[in-house]
Amino acid sequence: MRIVVLVLSLLVALPSAAREIKLSTWNIAWLTTKPAGHPALPRGLHIRTPADYALLQRYAERLEADIVALQEVDGRLAAARVFDAAGYDFHFTDETDVQRPGFAIRRGLAWRANPDLMELDLAPNARFSLRRGADITVEIAGRSLRLLNVHLRAGCTWDAIAGSERVACVELARQAGHIARWIAARRVAGEAFAVLGDFNRRMEGDDDVFAILARAAPLTRATEGFSNPCWGGAVFIDHILLGGAAREWLVPRSLRVMVYRETDRSFRDRLSDHCPVSVTLDVR
């Protein structure tokens, strides 16, 4: 009888020994509660209608992600217009920008906020700043996963940054250095981690931005070797980089891009010019 009880106990414990989570990144493009004409918004910005929000809500439900790194979102109230607040917690960087990075975290997952990576915002007093990094730690099946959500400087998508005098490339190189130091700290601490978000950077081939980050610690780029089907096809600029034990947790061939069914180009403003990018992690 004692043996039977032991076997049954082991069988019950097996499901909790391995926990799969879906990790996503989604730039929702100027998701805000501010009205048209607000001084914090660009002139001519499309202000979403209730029908637009209903569409986004359906895509968020279809995404079914456990953790979503969000970019260009104006805080919790804006996020709750897309993600059901009864099902998700929210965390955003502590700044006043309309375009903030943050997270939607499925309720029931244990998590804590870490200090923002403030150094990423190279122009904190500008009308449209360069945005901090959002940093959280999630506990999954007894293991910790550190997540850094970034939205980096635009304008240096493919140019070499080494020796470049272009402002966009110089600033992107500085941001890459700050992220590399964050990665190095995770390596020293022995943490599983991911850096994900809108890098505004193609990383195929011998990309020097990725090289700066990979010198800090070995990294797996989930988007490597794939093209992005979003809006008819493109090269990825939204990436998920995994480091530490998280590299081993990546479920093979789990990369997914949720494309929109609406094909008219007007929906780029109504939905987003970015599509959600996701991977599955098996946290053992």
Side-chain angles (χ1 to χ4, degrees):
M1 180 64 71
R2 186 174 301 171
I3 294 175
V4 173
V5 171
L6 176 60
V7 171
L8 289 175
S9 297
L10 288 174
L11 289 174
V12 171
L14 281 175
S16 63
R19 172 75 184 272
E20 286 193 351
I21 65 162
K22 186 174 182 180
L23 178 64
S24 302
T25 178
W26 190 7
N27 182 328
I28 311 188
W30 294 102
L31 184 68
T32 180
T33 59
K34 292 179 172 60
H38 192 283
L41 303 179
R43 293 179 181 176
L45 179 70
H46 171 77
I47 300 300
R48 290 180 173 93
T49 66
D52 297 338
Y53 283 113
L55 266 178
L56 284 169
Q57 289 165 9
R58 288 199 288 272
Y59 279 113
E61 291 171 0
R62 178 182 159 200
L63 183 61
E64 291 186 323
D66 297 295
I67 305 168
V68 188
L70 301 168
Q71 300 89 44
E72 297 197 27
V73 176
D74 192 11
R76 294 169 179 265
L77 290 178
R81 287 191 170 183
V82 175
F83 290 86
D84 184 1
Y88 286 91
D89 289 329
F90 302 109
H91 168 72
F92 286 89
T93 52
D94 185 18
E95 52 191 334
T96 58
D97 297 56
V98 176
Q99 292 188 323
R100 277 184 278 173
F103 290 94
I105 309 128
R106 189 178 298 281
R107 290 190 182 274
L109 284 174
W111 65 280
R112 65 180 181 275
N114 302 308
D116 296 344
L117 187 60
M118 298 174 61
E119 292 84 354
L120 285 185
D121 190 352
L122 306 178
N125 297 318
R127 181 179 178 222
F128 301 123
S129 78
L130 292 182
R131 300 165 294 264
R132 302 178 180 186
D135 186 341
I136 65 171
T137 299
V138 183
E139 302 293 334
I140 308 159
R143 306 293 297 274
S144 295
L145 175 64
R146 187 86 175 253
L147 300 173
L148 179 67
N149 176 11
V150 302
H151 184 186
L152 301 185
R153 176 66 154 91
C156 188
T157 307
W158 55 79
D159 304 66
I161 61 172
S164 176
E165 295 183 356
R166 294 185 58 225
V167 172
C169 294
V170 170
E171 292 185 339
L172 181 62
R174 289 177 60 193
Q175 289 182 317
H178 292 306
I179 297 172
R181 284 184 281 278
W182 184 93
I183 290 172
R186 309 286 74 76
R187 176 181 55 79
V188 171
E191 294 176 304
F193 66 90
V195 183
L196 68 169
D198 181 357
F199 287 74
N200 272 310
R201 182 74 179 183
R202 300 179 178 184
M203 289 187 173
E204 70 273 9
D206 298 325
D207 179 62
D208 46 5
V209 171
F210 182 76
I212 290 172
L213 305 182
R215 281 197 292 270
L219 298 172
T220 295
R221 179 167 65 89
T223 51
E224 183 176 2
F226 296 94
S227 59
N228 188 352
C230 189
W231 292 115
V235 177
F236 278 103
I237 62 172
D238 302 291
H239 300 284
I240 299 174
L241 311 181
L242 303 171
R247 301 176 71 202
E248 302 172 5
W249 299 344
L250 177 63
V251 174
R253 298 178 296 278
S254 66
L255 178 70
R256 297 289 184 273
V257 178
M258 190 181 70
V259 296
Y260 306 113
R261 293 169 180 161
E262 295 74 21
T263 57
D264 189 274
R265 302 294 282 186
S266 66
F267 282 94
R268 288 171 65 97
D269 293 329
R270 296 181 59 187
L271 295 170
S272 175
D273 54 342
H274 295 251
C275 298
V277 178
S278 308
V279 296
T280 300
L281 303 183
D282 185 357
V283 183
R284 307 171 191 174

